[in-house]
Amino acid sequence: MDFREKLSQIIDEKREMLIDVSDQIWDYAETGFEEVQSVELLCNILQQEGFTVEKGVGGIETAFIGTFGESKPNIAILGEFDALSGLSQQGGLAQAEPVQLDGNGHGCGHNLLGTGALAAAIALRYYMEEHHIPGTIRYYGCPGEEIGAGKTFMVRAGLFDDVDFALTWHPGTQNGVMSMSSLACYEVSYRFMGKSSHAGVTPHLGRSALDAVELMNVGVNYLREHIIPEARVHYATTNTGGISPNVVQAEAEVLYLIRAPKVAQTEGIYQRICNIARGAALMTGTEVEIIFQSALSDLIPNKTLETIMHHNMTELGVPVHNQEEIVFARDIRYTLSEEDKEADIRDIPELKGKEISDMLLPYKESSVVMPGSTDVGDVSWVVPTAQCWIACDALGTPFHTWQMVAQGKTSIAHKGMLHAGKVIASTAIDIMQDLQIIEKARLELIERLGGETYQSPIPKEVTHYILRLHTTKVVGFLGS
Ligand SMILES: [Zn+2]
């Protein structure tokens, strides 16, 4: 029996337990930095499986590390488990129906992500013990991927400094290795303070903070033409200053996401946006407070590790689906737009007419920068990192939708999740069979950084992510 079969066997033996963990995290549906029950569950399982668990790492209550082993190399398996607000949806149902109105939902499949990574860590722990392979497995419990970039805080706290390589995955609609960079991103709130007054009787005595928000947004929209086309700037008014038009709004707040391929470019655009905010305050006679919430870096791909991951994906094949699963995927696809379906299989003619992907995408290095962002980027600056997609959803399913929540608790998703565990564990063992690969991956990272060293994009004075409690509705920000 080769190592992939053995690792797969360990995961298959723990199948029921792993599915149960994933489904429970799906049920908890806790949003970023509030993943208390999900963390409790994951930590309990890690302890049961012989890992030493340290909670509250990096000064974040819901960040943790589960460790097994003592010697080098140190292997990081990254797990996420946060949900999105406003996306409550019944599992296994192909029509929009929330479990709870305005409730949360796992619209990015992080219940699967965290549990698939857990499967890999557990399989590695038993395999390495049985075969006397030196090394330490660390499961990194990374909170708040969708808001606040938990990993960026964890990297800044030095939690990855002695790691030799990191592996992770993300559920999606395709099977393949991810080999593209992603956009760096800043998350910044602009809070305007004015003076309230009766809007009908004494408007001249008021200073409207909401006017300032509107003028700032207009200013930024004019800025768009004069920034690099790869950049993305989007905003949400998180505090309108109340719902009474007859009150001049004394306070209002807008949240911005500022993205560009590199941190330095993001910083430049951020500074210009801050000036626009100051201009809006000047125009309206209000004051502005700039609250830097969080940030994340662009992703540095690592071909050395990616080709090994791809090789293991080739050896392990892709998840196979039965007729019932294909029919459910078809029902989900009835609810998707033609554009959604088409966008997913563009340039992949083999998938035309399919409901779920049944193929592995060929490995190709891409110079295209994914227009989303991930805090895996910060890990990839300090540790050679590889990640893959595994199909857990019908083709065309967009992220952060009720359709993705609905599929997160089905046998399609469970199959993908267990498969991801096998891919990650096999890739890790493959790498450890030839320690020169680790050195090669490290040298590749140095070369790709071209003399740059990691600087945290989060300013020193921002010690932790601040949940903006008056925010009317929190949706997914930084992640994807
Ligand atoms: Zn995600």
Side-chain angles (χ1 to χ4, degrees):
M1 190 185 282
D2 87 340
F3 69 90
R4 291 182 199 93
E5 284 172 52
K6 181 68 195 159
L7 290 162
S8 299
Q9 193 184 60
I10 301 169
I11 290 175
D12 288 335
E13 279 164 12
K14 302 216 174 253
R15 186 176 179 278
E16 298 306 320
M17 177 274 284
L18 292 164
I19 288 174
D20 187 53
V21 168
S22 173
D23 286 356
Q24 281 194 58
I25 297 175
W26 187 98
D27 286 339
Y28 295 149
E30 296 164 297
T31 50
F33 303 105
E34 295 185 326
E35 312 98 326
V36 179
Q37 290 172 284
S38 307
V39 167
E40 191 64 23
L41 176 63
L42 289 164
C43 288
N44 284 345
I45 299 291
L46 282 165
Q47 276 165 341
Q48 278 166 31
E49 299 292 345
F51 285 74
T52 309
V53 173
E54 195 187 344
K55 292 183 189 173
V57 295
I60 305 169
E61 195 192 333
T62 51
F64 66 93
I65 299 176
T67 305
F68 185 88
E70 285 168 350
S71 51
K72 290 279 270 178
N74 293 326
I75 305 143
I77 312 287
L78 312 179
E80 298 167 12
F81 30 77
D82 58 331
L84 293 152
S85 72
L87 274 184
S88 175
Q89 164 64 29
Q90 310 243 4
L93 194 69
Q95 66 188 56
E97 207 172 307
V99 179
Q100 190 191 335
L101 219 59
D102 274 339
N104 305 330
H106 270 287
C108 208
H110 292 182
N111 58 310
L112 303 166
L113 200 170
T115 314
L118 176 75
I122 292 172
L124 283 167
R125 166 247 182 282
Y126 286 108
Y127 185 88
M128 286 165 68
E129 187 177 48
E130 194 185 327
H131 296 268
H132 309 288
I133 299 173
T136 301
I137 305 295
R138 285 197 204 140
Y139 178 98
Y140 280 75
C142 309
E145 195 275 338
E146 300 286 1
I147 55 162
K151 293 184 201 71
T152 313
F153 287 98
M154 292 170 83
V155 170
R156 192 177 66 172
L159 299 174
F160 288 89
D161 286 357
D162 61 348
V163 171
D164 292 288
F165 65 92
L167 301 173
T168 191
W169 75 294
H170 203 293
T173 59
Q174 302 285 353
N175 300 295
V177 170
M178 289 187 217
S179 185
M180 52 170 71
S181 188
S182 56
L183 297 178
C185 183
Y186 280 15
E187 180 181 336
V188 187
S189 283
Y190 296 86
R191 184 200 285 168
F192 290 90
M193 273 85 60
K195 185 173 174 295
S196 68
S197 188
H198 192 296
V201 181
T202 50
H204 54 287
L205 299 181
R207 297 292 178 266
S208 171
L210 187 59
D211 285 358
V213 164
E214 292 196 43
L215 285 167
M216 174 180 175
N217 294 343
V218 169
V220 172
N221 288 335
Y222 275 95
L223 172 81
R224 275 175 214 284
E225 197 188 359
H226 309 289
I227 56 177
I228 51 170
E230 299 83 4
R232 296 279 186 277
V233 180
H234 14 263
Y235 57 83
T237 305
T238 49
N239 180 5
T240 57
I243 54 165
S244 305
N246 55 352
V247 177
V248 174
Q249 291 83 0
E251 191 182 308
E253 187 167 324
V254 58
L255 176 66
Y256 267 79
L257 290 190
I258 305 158
R259 312 191 204 221
K262 294 283 166 201
V263 172
Q265 294 165 328
T266 312
E267 172 70 25
I269 297 167
Y270 161 67
Q271 292 297 347
R272 290 166 74 189
I273 289 176
C274 288
N275 280 337
I276 290 170
R278 292 183 193 105
L282 201 60
M283 281 191 278
T284 51
T286 59
E287 283 176 16
V288 62
E289 185 188 355
I290 298 167
I291 305 153
F292 199 106
Q293 307 265 72
S294 188
L296 42 80
S297 303
D298 51 298
L299 192 115
I300 311 293
N302 194 289
K303 190 180 177 187
T304 306
L305 299 184
E306 285 164 1
T307 47
I308 294 168
M309 189 174 244
H310 187 262
H311 171 68
N312 280 279
M313 292 181 86
T314 309
E315 292 292 316
L316 286 162
V318 295
V320 178
H321 301 101
N322 60 36
Q323 196 51 32
E324 201 183 325
E325 289 163 340
I326 291 170
V327 167
F328 178 71
R330 184 178 304 152
D331 289 345
I332 285 283
R333 279 165 58 80
Y334 281 137
T335 70
L336 304 178
S337 71
E338 288 309 312
E339 288 93 333
D340 283 332
K341 288 187 268 195
E342 194 52 42
D344 206 11
I345 59 163
R346 202 182 296 134
D347 306 326
I348 320 171
E350 300 93 317
L351 289 176
K352 210 167 171 56
K354 298 271 171 69
E355 313 295 347
I356 317 177
S357 174
D358 58 356
M359 66 173 283
L360 173 64
L361 295 177
Y363 176 72
K364 61 170 185 271
E365 267 191 286
S366 174
S367 56
V368 177
V369 179
M370 182 182 77
S373 307
T374 168
D375 59 4
V376 176
D378 292 84
V379 178
S380 75
W381 270 79
V382 294
V383 179
T385 303
Q387 47 183 346
C388 62
W389 299 107
I390 302 284
C392 294
D393 300 275
L395 279 164
T397 308
F399 290 95
H400 299 192
T401 57
W402 69 261
Q403 288 93 337
M404 191 151 276
V405 185
Q407 294 174 82
K409 217 183 179 183
T410 61
S411 60
I412 304 170
H414 296 149
K415 270 183 190 171
M417 170 187 87
L418 298 171
H419 194 77
K422 296 170 188 176
V423 168
I424 293 173
S426 300
T427 304
I429 293 296
D430 218 356
I431 292 167
M432 282 189 292
Q433 285 179 344
D434 179 2
L435 294 180
Q436 284 182 352
I437 294 169
I438 296 177
E439 183 57 11
K440 196 176 157 203
R442 191 182 70 84
L443 292 174
E444 182 185 334
L445 174 58
I446 292 169
E447 194 189 320
R448 282 183 187 259
L449 294 181
E452 275 189 81
T453 52
Y454 178 70
Q455 306 286 336
S456 180
I458 302 176
K460 270 199 286 300
E461 57 275 17
V462 181
T463 53
H464 63 286
Y465 184 74
I466 306 155
L467 282 172
R468 310 292 292 157
L469 293 178
H470 60 264
T471 296
T472 44
K473 197 170 187 183
V474 181
V475 288
F477 300 142
L478 289 172
S480 49

